[in-house]
């Protein structure tokens, strides 16, 4: 309790001296007649989204003799080799770290990058599950290369357990990595849980720390290794980059309003009253036990804002690029606590983990537009395309801010640049992103 109270007080006192001190005045924020949907709206949209997806896919099958896929541009986007990082025949091979990679989307992302030639380090809590996953990926690569009569590509390995709910574990992992490797080409912050209410050993809300604050610390500690990396495109017209950071988000970021909190932690301290904006008080409430009942959704919005702040701090001059990705609704291990019947339904209507990994792989190796911050995997029934059109063929498909229902389910197109829903802070989310960084920077301080 003492540590939590100290952190809360420190956030308030450090705000005046932070790089974002000029952003603290709440009068500068726009009214929270904001574009976020109420949490209850999520469940109301689930059934319509399911019906839309089933009926649309059925109609496409019935009308398969008509080239509707081409007319509506529903064919999956392809990652062209010339639009991706080039794997050079050099030693050591490029390195990628993927959290939560022993199962589901993380496993498929790891396997996809290993097949492209990366040495993928599986960062997960269980040593045995990590070793088993690495062995499975390596066997798959050997079999695939043998069948295609091609040279062995990359590989997967396990370094040591990583528990994102423990700052000590994160620091230990980063220390072990930096002692063995001096560069990191790709970091995919994939791991996540969808349950909430527990408290971590660091005194924070379990879901928000596991999904976001832990990844914040992991990324921050690995920045030097990411800066040392060099990612080169096959198309020499594209500029070389340093490391790439991919943050997993979700359609649920549309349902993270800042004006629905009805209570605050009761741990001997206090949080400011809800003021209806995504400022430092909002994010501190997300991190504190009992401060929010929607920490999963808030963690996914935080991932997008983290992407914005990473690009601001390390993008133009230091060459690190970051992107947030929505894997879509995936039948993966994240639903392991649901009933057997519910999991069966999910397997019928959701994307496979391999499909869900497509946005992560594209975000990891693709040359997406410089102003893109979010990829998602569904075709959108939108007549007007986003202004973010790209000359890069692999990322030509782009959409403006979608109606959330059409980002829950629908025709799968692999990946598309899409405008996410950002806080109404008057400057495109930058203000909220800066204050989120300040809060997490303090909470993770030694």
């Amino acid at each position: 309790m003492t540590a939590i109270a100290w952190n809360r007080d420190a956030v308030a006192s450090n705000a005046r001296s932070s790089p974002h001190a000029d952003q603290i005045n709440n009068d500068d924020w726009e009214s929270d007649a904001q574009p976020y949907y109420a949490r209850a709206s999520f469940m109301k949209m689930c059934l319509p989204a399911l019906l839309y997806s089933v009926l649309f896919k059925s109609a496409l099958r019935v009308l398969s003799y008509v080239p509707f896929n081409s007319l509506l541009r529903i064919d999956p986007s392809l990652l062209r080799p010339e639009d991706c990082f080039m794997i050079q025949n050099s030693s050591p091979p490029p390195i990628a770290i993927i959290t939560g990679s022993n199962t589901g989307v993380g496993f498929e992302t790891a396997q996809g990058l290993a097949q492209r030639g990366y040495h993928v380090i599986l960062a997960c809590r269980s040593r045995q599950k990590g070793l088993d996953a690495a062995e499975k990926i390596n066997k798959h690569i050997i079999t695939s290369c043998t069948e295609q009569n091609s040279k062995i590509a990359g590989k997967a390995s396990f370094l040591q357990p990583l528990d994102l709910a423990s700052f000590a574990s994160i620091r230990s992992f980063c220390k072990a990595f930096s002692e063995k490797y001096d560069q990191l080409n790709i970091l995919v912050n994939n791991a996540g849980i969808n349950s909430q209410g527990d408290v971590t050993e660091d005194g924070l809300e379990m879901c928000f720390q596991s999904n976001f604050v832990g990844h914040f610390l992991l990324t921050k500690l690995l920045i030097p290794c990411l800066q040392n990396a060099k990612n080169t495109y096959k198309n020499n017209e594209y500029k070389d980059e340093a490391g790439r950071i991919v943050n997993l988000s979700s359609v649920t970021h549309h349902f993270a309003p800042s004006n629905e909190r009805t209570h605050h932690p009761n741990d001997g301290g206090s949080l400011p009253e809800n003021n209806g904006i995504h400022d430092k008080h909002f994010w501190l409430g997300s991190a504190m036990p009992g401060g929010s009942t929607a920490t999963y959704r808030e963690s996914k919005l935080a991932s997008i804002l983290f992407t914005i702040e990473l690009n601001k701090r390390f993008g133009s001059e230091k060459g690190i690029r970051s992107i947030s990705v929505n894997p879509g609704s995936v039948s993966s291990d994240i639903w392991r606590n649901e009933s057997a019947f519910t999991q069966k339904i999910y397997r019928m209507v959701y994307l496979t983990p391999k499909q869900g990994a497509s946005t992560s792989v594209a975000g990891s190796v693709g040359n997406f537009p410089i102003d893109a911050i979010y990829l998602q995997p569904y075709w959108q029934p939108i007549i007007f395309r986003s202004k973010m059109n790209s000359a890069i063929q692999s990322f030509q498909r782009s959409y403006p801010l979608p109606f959330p229902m059409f980002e829950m389910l629908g025709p799968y197109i692999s990946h598309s640049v899409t405008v996410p829903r950002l806080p109404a802070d008057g400057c495109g989310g930058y203000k909220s992103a800066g204050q989120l960084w300040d809060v997490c920077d303090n909470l993770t301080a030694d």
Side-chain angles (χ1 to χ4, degrees):
M1 298 301 181
T2 304
I4 296 175
W6 180 88
N7 279 325
R8 180 186 297 108
D9 294 340
V11 169
S13 62
N14 288 348
R16 289 186 294 273
S17 59
S18 79
H20 306 94
D22 60 334
Q23 302 172 355
I24 304 301
N25 187 352
N26 289 345
D27 294 337
D28 294 336
W29 295 65
E30 292 183 3
S31 166
D32 202 327
Q34 57 174 300
Y36 285 88
Y37 288 83
R39 298 174 201 165
S41 300
F42 180 81
M43 296 306 299
K44 294 178 181 178
M45 290 187 194
C46 285
L47 181 57
L50 176 61
L51 293 174
Y52 155 74
S53 181
V54 171
L55 292 174
F56 200 109
K57 291 177 182 178
S58 299
L60 288 177
R61 279 194 291 267
V62 171
L63 300 173
S64 58
Y65 59 92
V66 180
F68 274 100
N69 282 24
S70 297
L71 291 173
L72 297 177
R73 301 182 74 242
I74 301 178
D75 295 316
S77 301
L78 299 177
L79 273 178
R80 292 156 46 96
E82 55 267 38
D83 297 335
C84 298
F85 293 144
M86 178 173 59
I87 304 298
Q88 299 173 329
N89 295 324
S90 60
S91 182
I95 307 294
I97 292 177
I98 304 174
T99 65
S101 44
N102 62 289
T103 187
V105 171
F107 176 86
E108 294 294 344
T109 303
Q111 185 162 276
L113 293 182
Q115 285 180 305
R116 287 176 172 269
Y118 288 88
H119 174 190
V120 181
I121 295 174
L122 309 184
C124 36
R125 287 180 297 175
S126 167
R127 177 179 296 276
Q128 191 56 53
K129 288 182 179 179
L131 291 170
D132 290 346
E135 181 182 9
K136 186 177 179 180
I137 289 173
N138 292 332
K139 284 182 177 179
H140 174 83
I141 290 174
I142 293 172
T143 301
S144 177
C145 290
T146 301
E147 291 175 350
Q148 299 174 17
N149 196 25
S150 60
K151 197 166 71 172
I152 298 297
K155 66 176 182 178
S157 67
F158 181 81
L159 180 62
Q160 71 172 51
L162 171 66
D163 183 0
L164 291 161
S166 165
F167 293 161
S169 175
I170 296 168
R171 291 191 172 95
S172 175
F173 177 89
C174 292
K175 183 174 184 292
F177 177 84
S178 59
E179 288 175 348
K180 191 170 183 179
Y181 307 98
D182 62 357
Q183 67 177 40
L184 175 60
N185 296 78
I186 298 170
L187 171 62
V188 183
N189 292 321
N190 168 84
I193 60 174
N194 66 344
S195 59
Q196 59 187 43
D198 294 332
V199 181
T200 69
E201 65 183 46
D202 303 296
L204 302 184
E205 200 279 330
M206 176 68 75
C207 181
F208 198 75
Q209 177 169 335
S210 299
N211 291 6
F212 181 69
V213 182
H215 281 129
F216 173 90
L217 178 60
L218 178 73
T219 303
K220 187 178 175 184
L221 294 176
L222 291 174
I223 286 292
C225 293
L226 287 158
Q227 289 176 323
N228 289 339
K230 182 179 180 181
N231 286 319
T232 303
Y233 291 102
K234 188 173 182 179
N235 187 337
N236 56 20
E237 294 181 6
Y238 302 151
K239 184 180 177 182
D240 291 347
E241 300 178 14
R244 176 69 61 85
I245 303 169
V246 179
N247 300 309
L248 270 284
S249 184
S250 161
V251 65
T252 59
H253 85 273
H254 292 283
F255 303 89
S258 59
N259 58 354
E260 288 190 349
R261 290 186 178 167
T262 57
H263 64 284
H264 296 293
N266 182 19
D267 60 2
S270 62
L271 284 173
E273 289 299 317
N274 178 30
N275 54 14
I277 55 180
H278 292 89
D279 64 354
K280 65 183 187 296
H281 305 307
F282 174 85
W283 293 117
L284 188 59
S286 299
M288 292 296 108
S292 171
T293 58
T295 50
Y296 177 82
R297 300 169 191 181
E298 290 160 9
S299 72
K300 296 308 176 182
L301 172 59
S303 293
I304 298 174
L305 297 179
F306 188 37
T307 295
I308 291 174
E309 190 67 15
L310 283 168
N311 286 329
K312 175 185 173 184
R313 288 173 178 255
F314 305 105
S316 58
E317 295 183 3
K318 299 180 181 178
I320 294 176
R321 293 184 74 187
S322 181
I323 187 79
S324 53
V325 301
N326 170 15
S329 298
V330 180
S331 177
S332 69
D333 199 48
I334 196 172
W335 307 113
R336 57 186 173 273
N337 294 325
E338 300 290 342
S339 67
F341 175 76
T342 300
Q343 291 185 51
K344 185 176 181 180
I345 296 296
Y346 288 167
R347 285 193 293 271
M348 292 172 57
V349 300
Y350 281 6
L351 302 179
T352 65
K354 186 172 184 178
Q355 290 175 320
S358 60
T359 52
S360 293
V361 172
S364 296
V365 303
N367 187 20
F368 48 80
I370 193 66
D371 49 354
I373 57 172
Y374 186 67
L375 303 178
Q376 61 86 27
Y378 296 114
W379 176 82
Q380 298 295 311
I382 297 173
I383 297 176
F384 301 103
R385 297 177 66 192
S386 168
K387 295 180 180 179
M388 203 184 298
N389 292 335
S390 172
I392 304 166
Q393 277 195 288
S394 299
F395 293 91
Q396 279 194 326
R397 184 159 18 205
S398 59
Y399 296 109
L401 181 67
F403 182 60
M405 187 185 85
F406 299 119
E407 205 186 319
M408 291 179 174
L409 291 167
Y412 165 76
I413 57 171
S414 179
H415 61 272
S416 64
V417 176
T418 303
V419 176
R421 197 170 299 273
L422 299 172
D425 61 3
C427 53
Y430 278 90
K431 191 180 296 185
S432 183
Q435 295 197 17
L436 170 65
W437 181 285
D438 289 341
V439 167
C440 293
D441 199 31
N442 180 72
L443 293 176
T444 57
D446 289 326

